[in-house]
Amino acid sequence: MKSAVIRGIIVGIGILFQIVVSVWLYMFLIDKLWLFHLIFSFLEIVIIVGVIKYSKNYSLTLPLIIILLFFPLIGTVLYIVIHQNKNNSKILKKIIESEAISKKYLTQDKKIKEEIKEKSDLRYISDFAGFPFTKNNDVTYYPLGELAFQDMIKELKKAKRYIFLEYFIINHGAMWDTILKVLEEKVRQGIEVRVIYDDAGCIATLEKGYDQKLEKMGIKCIAFNKLNPISGIIMNYRDHRKILIIDGKIAFSGGINIADEYINVKSPYGHWKDNGIKVEGEAVWSYIVMFLTMWNSLKRKILIIENININLINCLSMRE
Protein backbone atom coordinates (compact mmCIF):
# COMPACT_ATOMS: atom_id res chain seq x y z
CA MET A 1 0.00 0.00 0.00
CA LYS A 2 2.88 2.36 0.86
CA SER A 3 4.45 1.68 -2.55
CA ALA A 4 1.12 2.44 -4.28
CA VAL A 5 0.83 5.80 -2.48
CA ILE A 6 4.39 6.76 -3.45
CA ARG A 7 3.79 5.81 -7.10
CA GLY A 8 0.53 7.78 -7.14
CA ILE A 9 2.17 10.87 -5.66
CA ILE A 10 5.05 10.77 -8.16
CA VAL A 11 2.70 10.44 -11.13
CA GLY A 12 0.41 13.15 -9.76
CA ILE A 13 3.30 15.57 -9.34
CA GLY A 14 4.47 14.89 -12.89
CA ILE A 15 1.03 15.57 -14.38
CA LEU A 16 0.47 18.67 -12.20
CA PHE A 17 3.83 20.07 -13.27
CA GLN A 18 2.90 19.76 -16.95
CA ILE A 19 -0.43 21.54 -16.39
CA VAL A 20 1.14 24.35 -14.33
CA VAL A 21 3.82 24.97 -16.96
CA SER A 22 1.18 25.03 -19.73
CA VAL A 23 -1.02 27.53 -17.83
CA TRP A 24 1.99 29.71 -16.95
CA LEU A 25 3.08 29.89 -20.58
CA TYR A 26 -0.43 30.80 -21.65
CA MET A 27 -0.77 33.55 -19.01
CA PHE A 28 2.63 34.96 -19.92
CA LEU A 29 1.79 35.16 -23.60
CA ILE A 30 -1.76 36.46 -23.15
CA ASP A 31 -0.47 39.46 -21.19
CA LYS A 32 2.06 40.27 -23.89
CA LEU A 33 0.09 39.71 -27.09
CA TRP A 34 -3.56 40.78 -27.53
CA LEU A 35 -3.58 39.08 -30.94
CA PHE A 36 -2.66 35.81 -29.29
CA HIS A 37 -5.65 36.22 -26.96
CA LEU A 38 -7.95 36.75 -29.93
CA ILE A 39 -6.58 33.67 -31.70
CA PHE A 40 -6.88 31.64 -28.53
CA SER A 41 -10.55 32.64 -28.08
CA PHE A 42 -11.29 31.59 -31.65
CA LEU A 43 -9.43 28.34 -31.04
CA GLU A 44 -11.68 27.67 -28.04
CA ILE A 45 -14.79 27.89 -30.24
CA VAL A 46 -13.24 25.62 -32.86
CA ILE A 47 -12.34 23.07 -30.21
CA ILE A 48 -15.89 22.95 -28.80
CA VAL A 49 -17.40 22.52 -32.27
CA GLY A 50 -14.84 19.83 -33.10
CA VAL A 51 -15.42 17.95 -29.84
CA ILE A 52 -19.19 17.93 -30.43
CA LYS A 53 -18.86 16.91 -34.09
CA TYR A 54 -16.37 14.07 -33.71
CA SER A 55 -17.24 12.74 -30.29
CA LYS A 56 -18.27 9.08 -30.18
CA ASN A 57 -19.08 9.13 -26.48
CA TYR A 58 -20.71 12.30 -25.14
CA SER A 59 -20.61 11.02 -21.56
CA LEU A 60 -16.82 11.33 -21.79
CA THR A 61 -16.57 14.58 -23.76
CA LEU A 62 -19.38 16.54 -22.03
CA PRO A 63 -17.22 17.36 -18.96
CA LEU A 64 -14.55 18.81 -21.25
CA ILE A 65 -17.14 20.91 -23.10
CA ILE A 66 -18.47 22.27 -19.79
CA ILE A 67 -14.95 23.18 -18.65
CA LEU A 68 -14.30 24.93 -21.98
CA LEU A 69 -17.51 26.98 -21.64
CA PHE A 70 -17.13 28.04 -18.01
CA PHE A 71 -13.34 27.99 -17.67
CA PRO A 72 -11.94 28.84 -21.14
CA LEU A 73 -8.33 29.11 -20.03
CA ILE A 74 -8.16 25.85 -18.08
CA GLY A 75 -10.35 24.02 -20.60
CA THR A 76 -8.35 25.04 -23.66
CA VAL A 77 -4.99 24.27 -22.07
CA LEU A 78 -6.35 20.95 -20.79
CA TYR A 79 -7.59 20.02 -24.28
CA ILE A 80 -4.24 20.90 -25.89
CA VAL A 81 -2.34 18.83 -23.32
CA ILE A 82 -4.69 15.85 -23.74
CA HIS A 83 -4.67 16.07 -27.53
CA GLN A 84 -0.88 16.39 -27.65
CA ASN A 85 -0.44 13.40 -25.33
CA LYS A 86 -2.92 11.38 -27.38
CA ASN A 87 -1.17 12.10 -30.66
CA ASN A 88 2.22 11.21 -29.19
CA SER A 89 1.08 8.09 -27.37
CA LYS A 90 2.91 5.02 -28.64
CA ILE A 91 0.40 2.80 -26.86
CA LEU A 92 -2.60 4.30 -28.66
CA LYS A 93 -0.82 4.14 -32.00
CA LYS A 94 -0.03 0.46 -31.47
CA ILE A 95 -3.61 -0.28 -30.42
CA ILE A 96 -5.00 1.45 -33.50
CA GLU A 97 -2.53 -0.41 -35.71
CA SER A 98 -3.42 -3.74 -34.10
CA GLU A 99 -7.16 -3.03 -34.43
CA ALA A 100 -6.76 -2.32 -38.15
CA ILE A 101 -5.01 -5.67 -38.64
CA SER A 102 -7.59 -7.54 -36.56
CA LYS A 103 -10.56 -6.29 -38.57
CA LYS A 104 -10.13 -9.06 -41.12
CA TYR A 105 -10.95 -11.57 -38.38
CA LEU A 106 -14.28 -9.88 -37.62
CA THR A 107 -16.43 -10.74 -40.63
CA GLN A 108 -20.20 -10.36 -40.55
CA ASP A 109 -22.36 -13.23 -41.83
CA LYS A 110 -24.33 -11.77 -44.77
CA LYS A 111 -27.49 -13.68 -43.92
CA ILE A 112 -27.54 -12.32 -40.39
CA LYS A 113 -26.78 -8.83 -41.68
CA GLU A 114 -29.80 -9.10 -43.97
CA GLU A 115 -31.98 -10.13 -41.05
CA ILE A 116 -31.07 -7.07 -38.96
CA LYS A 117 -31.05 -4.47 -41.73
CA GLU A 118 -34.44 -3.12 -40.64
CA LYS A 119 -33.38 -2.90 -36.98
CA SER A 120 -31.55 0.42 -36.84
CA ASP A 121 -30.59 0.06 -33.17
CA LEU A 122 -28.79 -3.23 -33.83
CA ARG A 123 -27.06 -1.87 -36.93
CA TYR A 124 -25.88 1.15 -34.97
CA ILE A 125 -24.35 -1.07 -32.27
CA SER A 126 -22.60 -3.17 -34.91
CA ASP A 127 -21.32 -0.16 -36.86
CA PHE A 128 -20.18 1.64 -33.72
CA ALA A 129 -18.46 -1.29 -32.01
CA GLY A 130 -17.23 -2.98 -35.19
CA PHE A 131 -18.05 -6.50 -34.01
CA PRO A 132 -20.30 -8.90 -35.97
CA PHE A 133 -23.68 -10.21 -34.86
CA THR A 134 -23.78 -13.96 -34.38
CA LYS A 135 -26.21 -16.77 -33.71
CA ASN A 136 -25.87 -20.15 -32.01
CA ASN A 137 -25.01 -18.69 -28.62
CA ASP A 138 -26.02 -19.55 -25.08
CA VAL A 139 -25.87 -16.81 -22.45
CA THR A 140 -26.03 -17.30 -18.69
CA TYR A 141 -26.84 -14.22 -16.58
CA TYR A 142 -25.46 -13.77 -13.07
CA PRO A 143 -27.11 -11.12 -10.87
CA LEU A 144 -24.25 -11.33 -8.34
CA GLY A 145 -20.50 -11.71 -8.57
CA GLU A 146 -20.32 -14.68 -6.23
CA LEU A 147 -22.61 -16.66 -8.54
CA ALA A 148 -20.45 -15.91 -11.56
CA PHE A 149 -17.30 -16.76 -9.60
CA GLN A 150 -18.54 -20.27 -8.85
CA ASP A 151 -18.93 -21.03 -12.56
CA MET A 152 -15.67 -19.27 -13.45
CA ILE A 153 -13.74 -21.68 -11.23
CA LYS A 154 -15.63 -24.71 -12.57
CA GLU A 155 -14.84 -23.78 -16.17
CA LEU A 156 -11.24 -22.81 -15.43
CA LYS A 157 -10.59 -26.27 -13.99
CA LYS A 158 -11.88 -27.79 -17.27
CA ALA A 159 -9.50 -25.75 -19.47
CA LYS A 160 -7.47 -27.90 -21.86
CA ARG A 161 -5.82 -25.45 -24.29
CA TYR A 162 -5.65 -21.84 -23.12
CA ILE A 163 -6.94 -19.22 -20.69
CA PHE A 164 -7.03 -15.45 -21.29
CA LEU A 165 -7.81 -12.91 -18.55
CA GLU A 166 -8.12 -9.13 -19.01
CA TYR A 167 -9.23 -7.10 -15.97
CA PHE A 168 -9.14 -3.53 -14.74
CA ILE A 169 -8.65 -4.60 -11.11
CA ILE A 170 -6.97 -7.68 -9.67
CA ASN A 171 -6.55 -7.79 -5.91
CA HIS A 172 -5.02 -10.31 -3.55
CA GLY A 173 -7.62 -12.24 -1.61
CA ALA A 174 -9.88 -15.27 -1.75
CA MET A 175 -11.06 -14.61 -5.33
CA TRP A 176 -7.68 -14.03 -6.98
CA ASP A 177 -5.85 -16.59 -4.84
CA THR A 178 -8.34 -19.26 -5.88
CA ILE A 179 -8.06 -18.34 -9.56
CA LEU A 180 -4.26 -18.08 -9.40
CA LYS A 181 -4.00 -21.54 -7.88
CA VAL A 182 -5.93 -22.97 -10.85
CA LEU A 183 -3.82 -20.97 -13.32
CA GLU A 184 -0.59 -22.29 -11.83
CA GLU A 185 -1.88 -25.86 -12.11
CA LYS A 186 -2.89 -25.29 -15.73
CA VAL A 187 0.56 -23.91 -16.56
CA ARG A 188 2.11 -27.06 -15.14
CA GLN A 189 -0.16 -29.02 -17.47
CA GLY A 190 1.27 -27.12 -20.44
CA ILE A 191 -1.77 -24.91 -20.97
CA GLU A 192 -1.27 -21.38 -22.31
CA VAL A 193 -2.24 -18.69 -19.75
CA ARG A 194 -2.18 -14.96 -20.47
CA VAL A 195 -3.16 -12.08 -18.18
CA ILE A 196 -3.64 -8.36 -18.81
CA TYR A 197 -4.34 -6.03 -15.88
CA ASP A 198 -4.56 -2.26 -15.72
CA ASP A 199 -1.63 -0.69 -13.90
CA ALA A 200 -3.66 2.25 -12.55
CA GLY A 201 -6.60 0.03 -11.58
CA CYS A 202 -4.21 -2.16 -9.59
CA ILE A 203 -1.98 0.57 -8.17
CA ALA A 204 -3.33 -0.01 -4.65
CA THR A 205 -3.90 -3.77 -4.99
CA LEU A 206 -0.82 -5.27 -6.67
CA GLU A 207 2.80 -4.60 -5.90
CA LYS A 208 5.03 -2.98 -8.51
CA GLY A 209 6.45 -5.56 -10.90
CA TYR A 210 3.68 -8.07 -10.27
CA ASP A 211 3.58 -8.84 -13.99
CA GLN A 212 7.15 -10.13 -13.73
CA LYS A 213 6.18 -12.25 -10.73
CA LEU A 214 3.46 -13.94 -12.81
CA GLU A 215 5.91 -14.42 -15.68
CA LYS A 216 8.19 -16.38 -13.36
CA MET A 217 5.23 -18.67 -12.62
CA GLY A 218 4.89 -19.36 -16.34
CA ILE A 219 1.92 -17.03 -16.76
CA LYS A 220 2.39 -14.56 -19.60
CA CYS A 221 1.40 -11.15 -18.28
CA ILE A 222 1.11 -7.50 -19.29
CA ALA A 223 0.44 -4.50 -17.04
CA PHE A 224 -1.53 -2.13 -19.26
CA ASN A 225 -0.24 1.44 -19.69
CA LYS A 226 2.14 1.53 -16.74
CA LEU A 227 2.01 4.72 -14.70
CA ASN A 228 4.77 7.16 -15.57
CA PRO A 229 5.12 10.74 -14.25
CA ILE A 230 6.39 12.07 -17.60
CA SER A 231 3.64 10.49 -19.72
CA GLY A 232 1.10 13.16 -18.81
CA ILE A 233 -2.67 12.97 -19.05
CA ILE A 234 -2.49 10.04 -21.48
CA MET A 235 -2.28 8.04 -18.24
CA ASN A 236 -6.06 8.53 -18.04
CA TYR A 237 -6.48 6.02 -20.88
CA ARG A 238 -7.22 2.81 -19.00
CA ASP A 239 -8.25 -0.78 -19.76
CA HIS A 240 -11.60 -1.24 -18.01
CA ARG A 241 -12.41 -4.60 -19.59
CA LYS A 242 -13.40 -7.61 -17.50
CA ILE A 243 -12.92 -10.67 -19.70
CA LEU A 244 -12.14 -14.33 -19.06
CA ILE A 245 -11.83 -16.63 -22.10
CA ILE A 246 -11.44 -20.41 -21.83
CA ASP A 247 -10.48 -22.62 -24.80
CA GLY A 248 -12.33 -20.39 -27.26
CA LYS A 249 -15.60 -21.97 -26.14
CA ILE A 250 -16.56 -19.87 -23.13
CA ALA A 251 -16.21 -16.18 -22.23
CA PHE A 252 -17.13 -14.47 -18.97
CA SER A 253 -17.69 -10.72 -18.88
CA GLY A 254 -19.70 -8.04 -17.12
CA GLY A 255 -18.90 -5.60 -14.33
CA ILE A 256 -17.07 -7.99 -12.03
CA ASN A 257 -13.40 -7.37 -11.32
CA ILE A 258 -11.19 -9.90 -9.55
CA ALA A 259 -11.39 -8.65 -5.98
CA ASP A 260 -13.13 -9.97 -2.87
CA GLU A 261 -15.69 -7.14 -2.61
CA TYR A 262 -17.13 -8.21 -5.98
CA ILE A 263 -18.04 -11.62 -4.57
CA ASN A 264 -19.01 -10.25 -1.14
CA VAL A 265 -16.27 -12.06 0.75
CA LYS A 266 -15.44 -8.59 2.05
CA SER A 267 -17.94 -5.73 2.20
CA PRO A 268 -16.06 -2.45 2.68
CA TYR A 269 -18.77 -0.62 0.70
CA GLY A 270 -21.78 -2.67 1.79
CA HIS A 271 -23.27 -5.56 -0.18
CA TRP A 272 -21.83 -5.36 -3.67
CA LYS A 273 -24.09 -6.08 -6.64
CA ASP A 274 -22.54 -6.35 -10.07
CA ASN A 275 -23.83 -8.30 -13.05
CA GLY A 276 -21.96 -10.94 -14.99
CA ILE A 277 -22.55 -13.12 -18.04
CA LYS A 278 -21.20 -16.35 -19.47
CA VAL A 279 -21.24 -16.63 -23.26
CA GLU A 280 -20.94 -19.95 -25.10
CA GLY A 281 -20.95 -20.18 -28.88
CA GLU A 282 -19.93 -18.17 -31.91
CA ALA A 283 -19.79 -14.84 -30.05
CA VAL A 284 -16.77 -16.04 -28.08
CA TRP A 285 -14.70 -15.48 -31.22
CA SER A 286 -15.16 -11.71 -30.85
CA TYR A 287 -13.83 -11.87 -27.30
CA ILE A 288 -10.76 -13.76 -28.54
CA VAL A 289 -10.05 -11.16 -31.23
CA MET A 290 -10.62 -8.36 -28.71
CA PHE A 291 -8.15 -9.82 -26.23
CA LEU A 292 -5.46 -10.70 -28.79
CA THR A 293 -5.77 -7.29 -30.44
CA MET A 294 -4.87 -5.66 -27.14
CA TRP A 295 -2.19 -8.24 -26.39
CA ASN A 296 -0.51 -7.83 -29.78
CA SER A 297 -0.45 -4.04 -29.51
CA LEU A 298 1.11 -4.08 -26.05
CA LYS A 299 3.71 -6.68 -27.01
CA ARG A 300 4.90 -4.34 -29.75
CA LYS A 301 4.71 -7.07 -32.36
CA ILE A 302 2.12 -8.49 -34.68
CA LEU A 303 1.02 -11.97 -33.71
CA ILE A 304 -1.18 -13.74 -36.27
CA ILE A 305 -4.35 -14.83 -34.52
CA GLU A 306 -4.53 -18.30 -36.09
CA ASN A 307 -0.91 -19.02 -35.09
CA ILE A 308 -0.55 -17.89 -31.49
CA ASN A 309 0.95 -21.19 -30.38
CA ILE A 310 -2.46 -22.48 -29.24
CA ASN A 311 -5.18 -24.44 -30.98
CA LEU A 312 -8.05 -22.32 -32.31
CA ILE A 313 -9.32 -24.85 -34.86
CA ASN A 314 -12.67 -25.25 -33.09
CA CYS A 315 -13.27 -21.51 -33.16
CA LEU A 316 -12.29 -21.17 -36.78
CA SER A 317 -14.36 -24.15 -37.96
CA MET A 318 -17.32 -22.92 -35.94
CA ARG A 319 -17.38 -19.69 -37.92
CA GLU A 320 -17.08 -21.33 -41.35
Side-chain angles (χ1 to χ4, degrees):
M1 186 65 184
K2 183 179 179 180
S3 174
V5 172
I6 294 174
R7 290 179 67 201
I9 291 174
I10 292 174
V11 172
I13 291 174
I15 294 175
L16 181 61
F17 176 76
Q18 294 179 62
I19 294 176
V20 169
V21 170
S22 299
V23 172
W24 180 83
L25 286 173
Y26 172 80
M27 293 297 295
F28 176 80
L29 290 173
I30 203 170
D31 288 339
K32 303 298 180 182
L33 300 172
W34 66 268
L35 181 60
F36 181 80
H37 179 244
L38 182 64
I39 294 173
F40 212 90
S41 298
F42 174 75
L43 181 62
E44 176 193 340
I45 298 173
V46 173
I47 290 173
I48 293 175
V49 173
V51 168
I52 293 174
K53 181 177 180 181
Y54 295 105
S55 175
K56 293 183 178 181
N57 191 331
Y58 286 112
S59 64
L60 297 177
T61 54
L62 184 59
L64 179 59
I65 294 173
I66 293 174
I67 293 175
L68 283 165
L69 289 173
F70 290 96
F71 305 98
L73 168 61
I74 296 175
T76 306
V77 171
L78 187 63
Y79 176 84
I80 293 173
V81 173
I82 292 174
H83 191 69
Q84 181 66 19
N85 275 272
K86 181 177 180 181
N87 288 340
N88 292 332
S89 171
K90 293 181 179 179
I91 290 178
L92 286 182
K93 289 178 180 178
K94 287 292 183 179
I95 291 174
I96 292 172
E97 178 184 337
S98 187
E99 286 178 342
I101 294 172
S102 297
K103 282 183 179 180
K104 64 181 179 180
Y105 299 106
L106 296 170
T107 56
Q108 176 64 65
D109 184 288
K110 293 181 180 179
K111 292 181 179 179
I112 298 177
K113 186 175 182 179
E114 186 67 20
E115 291 178 21
I116 67 170
K117 71 176 183 178
E118 301 300 329
K119 301 178 181 179
S120 58
D121 54 339
L122 294 180
R123 286 191 290 104
Y124 172 78
I125 293 172
S126 179
D127 294 342
F128 181 81
F131 289 88
F133 280 95
T134 61
K135 287 186 172 182
N136 305 316
N137 297 298
D138 290 323
V139 178
T140 302
Y141 168 73
Y142 304 101
L144 292 169
E146 50 264 43
L147 300 178
F149 179 54
Q150 293 175 9
D151 278 3
M152 288 167 66
I153 296 300
K154 289 179 183 178
E155 298 298 343
L156 279 169
K157 289 180 178 179
K158 297 177 185 176
K160 295 181 179 180
R161 295 194 300 277
Y162 60 92
I163 299 169
F164 297 156
L165 298 96
E166 184 177 356
Y167 283 88
F168 178 63
I169 296 173
I170 295 177
N171 193 6
H172 296 292
M175 187 177 187
W176 175 237
D177 291 348
T178 303
I179 291 175
L180 183 58
K181 186 177 180 180
V182 178
L183 297 182
E184 289 182 276
E185 175 60 29
K186 292 301 175 181
V187 168
R188 286 192 289 269
Q189 295 173 11
I191 292 173
E192 181 94 0
V193 179
R194 300 186 184 187
V195 175
I196 300 174
Y197 66 82
D198 187 273
D199 195 50
C202 298
I203 187 172
T205 62
L206 298 178
E207 56 270 29
K208 184 179 180 181
Y210 190 72
D211 53 334
Q212 296 302 314
K213 183 176 180 179
L214 291 182
E215 289 277 353
K216 291 179 181 178
M217 298 179 188
I219 298 171
K220 297 178 181 179
C221 183
I222 296 173
F224 176 81
N225 201 7
K226 287 188 176 182
L227 294 173
N228 187 324
I230 64 173
S231 294
I233 299 177
I234 195 64
M235 285 292 102
N236 189 47
Y237 285 85
R238 311 312 321 169
D239 184 353
H240 282 272
R241 290 176 180 167
K242 294 93 179 175
I243 299 173
L244 167 60
I245 305 166
I246 303 168
D247 290 346
K249 297 179 180 180
I250 294 173
F252 288 88
S253 190
I256 303 166
N257 281 294
I258 302 180
D260 284 356
E261 59 265 31
Y262 289 89
I263 59 173
N264 290 297
V265 170
K266 296 180 181 179
S267 301
Y269 315 109
H271 188 270
W272 191 285
K273 185 185 187 319
D274 234 323
N275 300 329
I277 59 170
K278 178 175 70 173
V279 179
E280 301 174 81
E282 295 180 8
V284 177
W285 177 257
S286 291
Y287 283 99
I288 294 172
V289 174
M290 192 185 305
F291 177 89
L292 291 177
T293 297
M294 182 66 75
W295 182 276
N296 296 346
S297 62
L298 298 174
K299 278 297 183 182
R300 302 290 196 274
K301 62 182 180 180
I302 302 304
L303 202 60
I304 303 303
I305 288 178
E306 294 103 322
N307 301 314
I308 58 173
N309 197 29
I310 54 180
N311 187 359
L312 293 179
I313 294 176
N314 289 344
C315 292
L316 289 167
S317 61
M318 184 169 54
R319 298 174 68 250
E320 294 173 352

